[in-house]
Amino acid sequence: MITKKSASARKVTGNVVALVVALFFAFPTYWMVATALKPRKELLTSGYDLVPFSVTGSNFATAWAKPGFLNSLGNSLLVTLSAVLASIVIGLLAALALSRMRFRGRKGFVMMLLVAQMAPFEALLIPMFLMMRDLDLLDRLPALALIYFAVTLPFCAWTLRGFVNGIPLELEEAAMVDGCGRWGAFRRVTLPLLGPGLVATSVFAFVTAWNEFLFALSLVKDQAKETLPVWLSGFQTAFGTDWGGAMAASALFTLPVLVFFLIVQRKMVTGVTAGAVKG
């Protein structure tokens, strides 16, 4: 029998463990921001203070003034948003078919989606490069968006299938009994309930495409079309690495994703919980 005292002790222990885990995952972000705020002379010393006693904004000014930042930001937003939007739309249609329809090979297709998610980017690089070269699509942002679409689509379809499975089919049938067509039942009943799932899936897909470096580096050589991860690598040169500028640029690189997370945090947590269903 669990007493009130033991339950309280378990709660405290759980909170302590959760705090330690949160600090463990938050520490790299803190290190990045602390390094970005330190003067250059403190970054090159043998010791390292966890708390920056001398704070400067010069590293952020250096990162902001580095040529190509705004252009690379625009390129990243263009290819990432295009790929995520296409992945969510096509992935939702695929998820509806896999969840609501029964057809030959459905289970095999679901397993294929899972296998596609497990494939490392490095294994896809050479085939993708050869295909883009033969189609004369190198150095083209739409081609890079197409690559990101192909990379994020299996994840979107697999994840959204779980959310659709969590919505009872009887709700759609009841709407159709009340006079809605199949499309009307989906638009009025299923789609609003899928809102948190769409938000959660789009956030994870956005982070995957936003942080992608390998394809952007290999398929786009035109400096005017490079994305932010490639631009960020410019802080490492043959003369050394500008750690202060690199960390400040990394903080600026993370900021759009962080703001997006804060805006959709509540819906995202609801969506992740709702998507944890069997099927």
Side-chain angles (χ1 to χ4, degrees):
M1 183 176 181
I2 300 177
T3 64
K4 185 176 181 180
K5 185 176 181 180
S6 61
S8 178
R10 288 187 178 184
K11 184 177 180 180
V12 171
T13 302
N15 290 336
V16 171
V17 172
L19 179 61
V20 171
V21 172
L23 291 175
F24 176 79
F25 284 103
F27 182 75
T29 303
Y30 169 78
W31 186 283
M32 174 184 68
V33 176
T35 303
L37 293 174
K38 285 188 174 184
R40 183 185 298 268
K41 61 180 181 180
E42 293 190 13
L43 296 176
L44 301 178
T45 57
S46 57
Y48 195 94
D49 297 322
L50 289 179
V51 179
F53 295 102
S54 299
V55 177
T56 180
S58 61
N59 293 323
F60 285 94
T62 300
W64 184 268
K66 184 177 175 62
F69 172 72
L70 292 179
N71 182 66
S72 299
L73 174 63
N75 293 338
S76 287
L77 287 174
L78 176 63
V79 296
T80 300
L81 292 177
S82 300
V84 171
L85 180 60
S87 296
I88 290 296
V89 173
I90 304 300
L92 178 58
L93 296 176
L96 289 170
L98 293 172
S99 179
R100 295 293 193 246
M101 300 179 183
R102 298 294 181 265
F103 54 89
R104 187 183 300 273
R106 183 175 65 92
K107 292 185 178 179
F109 187 79
V110 172
M111 290 303 300
M112 185 180 68
L113 289 177
L114 183 60
V115 172
Q117 291 184 68
M118 295 162 43
F121 286 176
E122 292 80 0
L124 303 175
L125 178 60
I126 295 179
M128 287 288 190
F129 179 85
L130 295 177
M131 182 177 65
M132 291 297 163
R133 185 197 62 184
D134 293 341
L135 295 174
D136 193 25
L137 292 177
L138 295 177
D139 277 340
R140 299 179 187 270
L141 290 179
L144 188 61
L146 184 62
I147 295 279
Y148 290 174
F149 163 72
V151 168
T152 55
L153 179 59
F155 168 79
C156 291
W158 173 271
T159 307
L160 289 175
R161 174 178 171 270
F163 292 116
V164 176
N165 285 343
I167 300 176
L169 181 60
E170 291 76 12
L171 294 178
E172 293 183 22
E173 294 174 345
M176 287 189 285
V177 168
D178 290 338
C180 288
R182 182 170 294 275
W183 166 250
F186 168 75
R187 182 172 59 87
R188 296 174 181 271
V189 177
T190 307
L191 189 59
L193 294 176
L194 281 174
L198 291 172
V199 170
T201 305
S202 62
V203 167
F204 284 112
F206 183 90
V207 171
T208 299
W210 182 261
N211 292 332
E212 201 287 318
F213 172 78
L214 187 61
F215 288 121
L217 178 66
S218 303
L219 302 180
V220 178
K221 297 301 182 182
D222 188 352
Q223 199 169 31
K225 298 178 181 178
E226 67 181 13
T227 58
L228 268 182
V230 179
W231 171 85
L232 188 60
S233 65
F235 285 91
Q236 184 175 4
T237 66
F239 302 100
T241 302
D242 180 5
W243 293 112
M247 293 298 103
S250 299
L252 294 175
F253 174 74
T254 308
L255 194 58
V257 180
L258 179 61
V259 171
F260 191 43
F261 263 106
L262 294 176
I263 293 175
V264 302
Q265 178 184 12
R266 182 170 299 179
K267 283 186 174 294
M268 181 181 171
V269 173
T270 304
V272 171
T273 306
V277 296
K278 184 178 179 180

